[in-house]
C-alpha cells in the first residue's frame, strides 16, 4: 500500500455520512453498529499515519510558513508513539526554510535534548555561537528564538565531548546527544 492506513482514514471521514443514512435503511440499528466498527481502527491508523521522513517540524501562521529539516551529521530519524528524535555522533545541522523568502521571519524552536553522559551542547550559525547549555541523561526541554533572513538558515548543534556507546551490547553507533520533538512556531510582531 502506498499510503498505509489510507482506506481506514477515508472510512473514518465517511462514517458521519453513513450514520445520517442509517435511519433510512431496513434494520437501522444493525446498520449503525456495522458502519461504526471501523472508527477505532480508523483513529489508530490516523494517529500512526506516516509523516514526511525528512521533516522535523512545520508551522504556518497567516501568510508565513516554516519548515525544519535535519541536515548533515544526524543518524536517521527515530520515532516511538508521539516522540521523534535523532542522534548525532558529535555535531549535526538543522536547516530552517521560511516563506515568503523576501522578509525576515522570527521563529521559536522548542525541542528537547538528551545524552548518554553529561555534556555541553552548543548551537551556532555561520560560526557564531547562539546558545549553549549543559545536558544530561534525562530529557531536558529548551527553546530558542531564531530570526531567518532570505528564507533559509542552518543551525549547527555540536559538542566537544566525543560520542560513546550507550552500554555493553547496546547500539554500536557512537552517540553524543539526541535532538527530540522539535516544534517550530512563527512569532508574529
Amino acid at each position: 500500500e502506498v499510503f498505509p492506513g489510507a482506506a481506514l482514514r477515508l472510512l473514518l471521514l465517511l462514517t458521519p455520512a453513513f450514520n445520517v443514512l442509517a435511519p433510512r435503511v431496513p434494520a437501522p440499528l444493525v446498520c449503525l453498529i456495522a458502519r461504526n466498527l471501523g472508527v477505532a481502527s480508523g483513529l489508530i491508523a490516523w494517529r500512526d499515519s506516516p509523516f514526511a521522513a525528512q521533516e522535523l517540524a512545520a508551522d504556518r501562521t497567516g501568510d508565513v510558513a516554516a519548515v525544519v529539516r535535519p541536515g548533515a551529521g544526524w543518524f536517521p530519524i527515530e520515532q516511538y508513539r508521539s516522540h521523534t528524535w535523532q542522534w548525532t555522533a558529535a555535531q549535526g545541522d538543522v536547516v530552517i526554510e521560511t516563506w515568503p523568502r523576501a522578509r525576515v521571519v522570527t521563529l521559536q524552536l522548542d525541542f528537547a535534548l538528551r545524552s548518554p553522559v553529561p555534556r555541553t551542547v552548543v548551537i551556532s550559525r555561520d560560526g557564531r555561537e547562539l546558545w549553549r547549555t549543559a545536558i544530561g541523561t534525562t530529557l531536558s526541554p529548551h527553546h530558542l528564538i531564531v530570526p531567518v533572513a532570505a528564507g533559509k538558515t542552518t543551525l549547527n548543534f555540536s559538542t566537544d565531548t566525543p560520542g560513546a556507546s550507550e552500554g555493553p551490547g547496546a547500539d554500536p553507533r557512537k552517540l553524543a546527544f539526541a535532538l527530540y520533538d522539535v516544534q517550530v512556531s512563527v512569532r508574529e510582531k
Side-chain angles (χ1 to χ4, degrees):
E1 191 175 356
V2 177
F3 297 104
L8 289 172
R9 292 192 309 271
L10 180 61
L11 286 176
L12 183 64
L13 292 173
L14 292 175
T15 299
F18 290 144
N19 289 340
V20 169
L21 297 174
R24 297 184 176 103
V25 297
L29 184 59
V30 173
C31 182
L32 189 65
I33 291 170
R35 288 182 176 159
N36 284 287
L37 288 175
V39 170
S41 61
L43 289 172
I44 291 169
W46 201 316
R47 182 197 71 195
D48 295 337
S49 62
F51 63 97
Q54 290 305 310
E55 190 173 288
L56 295 173
D59 186 36
R60 182 182 182 117
T61 301
D63 65 340
V64 178
V67 175
V68 180
R69 294 185 177 97
W74 298 101
F75 292 110
I77 294 175
E78 300 176 51
Q79 180 180 11
Y80 181 71
R81 295 191 180 166
S82 63
H83 297 286
T84 58
W85 65 94
Q86 282 189 287
W87 286 97
T88 182
Q91 69 85 32
D93 293 336
V94 170
V95 179
I96 303 170
E97 290 186 80
T98 60
W99 294 269
R101 295 186 180 282
R103 71 187 228 209
V104 174
V105 176
T106 302
L107 303 175
Q108 178 171 322
L109 283 181
D110 294 296
F111 56 93
L113 295 169
R114 182 177 84 79
S115 174
V117 296
R119 70 180 69 239
T120 299
V121 173
V122 175
I123 299 177
S124 58
R125 176 171 53 189
D126 299 326
R128 200 185 82 201
E129 183 177 311
L130 301 176
W131 183 86
R132 171 184 295 264
T133 192
I135 63 168
T137 58
T138 59
L139 211 54
S140 57
H142 305 279
H143 74 272
L144 177 68
I145 304 300
V146 182
V148 179
K152 189 172 185 179
T153 194
T154 300
L155 300 178
N156 179 267
F157 286 68
S158 63
T159 183
D160 58 357
T161 309
S165 297
E166 276 195 286
D171 193 335
R173 301 175 295 176
K174 299 294 184 193
L175 305 176
F177 61 91
L179 174 64
Y180 277 78
D181 301 328
V182 176
Q183 295 181 359
V184 63
S185 304
V186 175
R187 295 176 56 105
E188 291 292 330
K189 293 184 178 182

